[in-house]
Amino acid sequence: MRKNVNAAIEERMFGSFFKRAVTKCMERVFLLILCILFIGFISGCGKKSPVEVKKVKIRYSNAESFPELIKRHKAIVDKFNETHPDIEVVYEVTHGAAQKILIELASGSPPDVFFWWEHLLGPVAEKGSVIDLSPYIKDVNLNDYFPVFGNWLDNGKLYGFPYIWGPMVLFYNKNMFDKAGLNYPDKDWTWDDFVEAAKKLTILSEDGKVIQYGNAALDDGLANQVLYSFGGDFFDKDTTRSTIDSPEAREAFNFVVELQTKHKVVPKPYEMDYLKLGNREMFEAGKLAMSITWLNVLEGFEEHIKDFSWDVAPVPMKKGKKRVVLGGSSALCVSTQSKHPKEASEFIKFACGYEGGKILAEHGGLPPHKKAFFETVSSPPEHIAEVCIEQMDYFVSVSYLKKAWAGEFETRIINPENEKLFMGLQSVDQTVSNIKKESEKLLQVERR
């Protein structure tokens, strides 16, 4: 009996000891697991998995809606996003042109970055809608760029970084020049040379109808180029007084009108309406021997022109005067309402720099970055790089573009007055008088 009791006691004591041992062992194992997990957590704190990286999103709006332009903007954005994992640029095609962006700026919901035109800089700069980029581009050497900053750079403040630029040039159909036995236009051409060539290149059919014109129809670009080339201007140097009634300006207006009325080397407005073609389409169709216009119209020419050879030359100069060339640039701006100006500026530096410039040139644009330009810009046309560089020394800066009313001046005054002049609805004297009167009104409002 006693033996059985002792056995029971020993069994209980051994079982209790065994349980305690197992329990302690399990506790130690549990503590070991906790230590391993803790060490793993600590070692992982210094690393972020790709899922944990929080990207800064940047809205980029552009009102250029032609397919080829959308394609190149998207290519630049895609490359930036690929090489900048901490920033994501969201590209938006803005339908409604500049007006939509202006509305967004006014309503407090603008994009971080937007493509902008020089003649519309005044309003957004005056209202403080765009930041001064200077503090954000201190690591950028502006000497790496062509001097195309124009009105974007004012009193040390950079309101937009030039993304693309271009001068006025003379496009010409080489086949037509060859057939007429004429030498191609060159840097020594004067406006008199231009007129004489245009006469010989204007061809009539047997019944007296014009089947080939010497030059494109009159437009604001040609009229403004002639105005400055002849020594005229819309305003004085400080944009405080209208000078559109100067002898030089009157001579320029008369020269332009006589291309249509006296020399008959350009299509009349009603002919353009009847054909339902613009100057670009008529040149592509082989109906124009020459067209003096902005270089950016050549975008797409390579794809559309298959039946003849073409090239570009410098714009003619006024005999006895220094060559003057209208040149301009469009830029990328950052809204003052952007919550990420640093990241937005990083995108601008890329898009307007070497890498972005190469992509732009591959899609037919002229980058302001010198290295990107010389490495990537190529024919056609054959002499595009040569003509651009050659004319750069003669660029003229249009002073009134800095004014807040620059856009209004062009759309409400210059464009409609020129249209009436080109259509033969009013004389040069009446056109000059109307422009001067309305210009003075703008200046009076500004003085108040």
Side-chain angles (χ1 to χ4, degrees):
M1 179 71 176
R2 188 178 185 86
K3 185 177 180 181
N4 291 338
V5 171
N6 290 338
I9 292 172
E10 287 177 0
E11 185 179 348
R12 287 180 182 177
M13 289 178 64
F14 179 78
S16 177
F17 172 80
F18 180 78
K19 288 180 179 178
R20 288 197 301 271
V22 171
T23 300
K24 284 186 176 182
C25 183
M26 291 180 65
E27 289 176 351
R28 288 175 180 174
V29 171
F30 181 72
L31 287 173
L32 179 61
I33 294 173
L34 285 178
C35 288
I36 293 172
L37 291 174
F38 181 73
I39 291 171
F41 174 76
I42 293 298
S43 63
C45 283
K47 301 177 181 178
K48 287 185 177 181
S49 66
V51 178
E52 294 174 342
V53 174
K54 187 175 181 180
K55 292 186 177 183
V56 174
K57 285 194 175 184
I58 299 297
R59 284 181 58 209
Y60 169 42
S61 292
N62 193 310
E64 293 189 309
S65 56
F66 288 114
E68 58 264 31
L69 304 186
I70 293 175
K71 185 177 179 180
R72 74 185 183 198
H73 283 291
K74 189 176 185 303
I76 291 174
V77 169
D78 289 345
K79 187 64 175 180
F80 177 84
N81 287 338
E82 179 187 325
T83 55
H84 293 73
D86 55 337
I87 305 174
E88 180 183 0
V89 175
V90 181
Y91 173 48
E92 303 173 351
V93 180
T94 303
H95 299 286
Q99 190 62 31
K100 186 175 186 297
I101 294 177
L102 288 173
I103 292 173
E104 290 181 334
L105 286 168
S107 63
S109 59
D112 297 278
V113 180
F114 56 92
F115 177 93
W116 209 236
W117 296 268
E118 194 171 358
H119 73 286
L120 294 177
L121 170 62
V124 296
E126 184 178 82
K127 294 178 181 178
S129 299
V130 292
I131 70 170
D132 171 18
L133 291 169
S134 300
Y136 299 95
I137 62 163
K138 291 181 179 179
D139 57 335
V140 176
N141 186 356
L142 297 187
N143 290 325
D144 292 339
Y145 294 79
F146 291 122
V148 295
F149 287 83
N151 294 306
W152 302 106
L153 186 60
D154 186 30
N155 294 323
K157 293 185 176 182
L158 186 63
Y159 294 110
F161 206 112
Y163 159 83
I164 189 171
W165 67 281
M168 291 284 287
V169 296
L170 189 160
F171 288 84
Y172 64 97
N173 185 315
K174 296 173 72 173
N175 292 36
M176 291 181 180
F177 271 79
D178 292 340
K179 188 174 181 179
L182 297 174
N183 293 328
Y184 299 146
D186 58 32
K187 64 180 181 179
D188 296 321
W189 255 33
T190 65
W191 287 106
D192 293 333
D193 295 324
F194 166 77
V195 170
E196 290 307 309
K199 289 179 180 178
K200 295 175 182 177
L201 290 163
T202 299
I203 309 298
L204 303 180
S205 63
E206 292 183 358
D207 58 358
K209 293 182 179 180
V210 180
I211 57 176
Q212 173 185 303
Y213 279 100
N215 191 71
L218 306 182
D219 60 15
D220 297 322
L222 173 62
N224 289 347
Q225 175 59 58
V226 173
L227 172 67
Y228 285 94
S229 186
F230 276 48
D233 202 334
F234 291 103
F235 301 93
D236 60 4
K237 185 178 180 181
D238 299 322
T239 321
T240 58
R241 180 176 60 87
S242 172
T243 58
I244 196 61
D245 58 346
S246 69
E248 293 83 0
R250 289 180 181 277
E251 183 185 10
F253 274 114
N254 277 307
F255 174 86
V256 170
V257 171
E258 287 183 351
L259 292 175
Q260 181 175 285
T261 59
K262 179 181 178 181
H263 305 301
K264 304 183 188 306
V265 295
V266 300
K268 294 180 175 64
Y270 70 82
E271 293 176 282
M272 304 289 285
D273 292 339
Y274 174 76
L275 294 171
K276 295 182 180 180
L277 296 174
N279 282 335
R280 171 176 173 148
E281 290 78 14
M282 287 192 70
F283 186 82
E284 290 177 344
K287 296 181 180 297
L288 303 176
M290 295 181 286
S291 179
I292 296 176
T293 186
W294 292 101
L295 184 62
N296 60 2
V297 304
L298 69 79
E299 294 164 348
F301 271 9
E302 181 180 2
E303 297 179 7
H304 299 158
I305 299 178
K306 303 295 183 182
D307 299 328
F308 60 88
S309 297
W310 59 283
D311 205 345
V312 292
V315 294
M317 58 185 172
K318 172 68 173 171
K319 187 175 182 179
K321 289 185 177 291
K322 180 182 177 181
R323 181 185 303 281
V324 172
V325 180
L326 290 182
S329 61
S330 296
L332 300 186
C333 302
V334 175
S335 166
T336 50
Q337 299 176 59
S338 172
K339 295 180 180 179
H340 308 288
K342 180 181 177 182
E343 289 80 4
S345 299
E346 282 300 312
F347 170 64
I348 285 181
K349 288 191 292 184
F350 177 89
C352 303
Y354 174 67
E355 292 296 334
K358 288 197 302 179
I359 297 173
L360 173 67
E362 289 166 356
H363 287 77
L366 296 181
H369 194 280
K370 294 177 183 177
K371 186 178 179 182
F373 180 94
F374 288 117
E375 286 186 0
T376 320
V377 171
S378 60
S379 62
E382 181 181 355
H383 295 97
I384 178 172
E386 176 186 327
V387 168
C388 289
I389 300 303
E390 188 174 81
Q391 295 198 128
M392 189 167 291
D393 292 335
Y394 307 104
F395 275 14
V396 60
S397 180
V398 180
S399 60
Y400 74 78
L401 292 180
K402 293 182 180 180
K403 297 295 185 178
W405 43 259
E408 178 189 359
F409 175 68
E410 293 188 346
T411 57
R412 186 178 65 82
I413 300 174
I414 297 301
N415 296 351
E417 292 300 329
N418 277 345
E419 183 177 2
K420 286 183 283 187
L421 176 66
F422 301 158
M423 293 182 69
L425 300 179
Q426 66 185 24
S427 65
V428 168
D429 287 341
Q430 186 63 56
T431 301
V432 168
S433 176
N434 292 348
I435 294 176
K436 184 176 180 64
K437 180 180 178 181
E438 294 302 317
S439 298
E440 290 294 348
K441 286 182 180 179
L442 286 176
L443 293 173
Q444 287 175 8
V445 172
E446 185 180 50
R447 296 186 193 110
R448 294 174 186 171

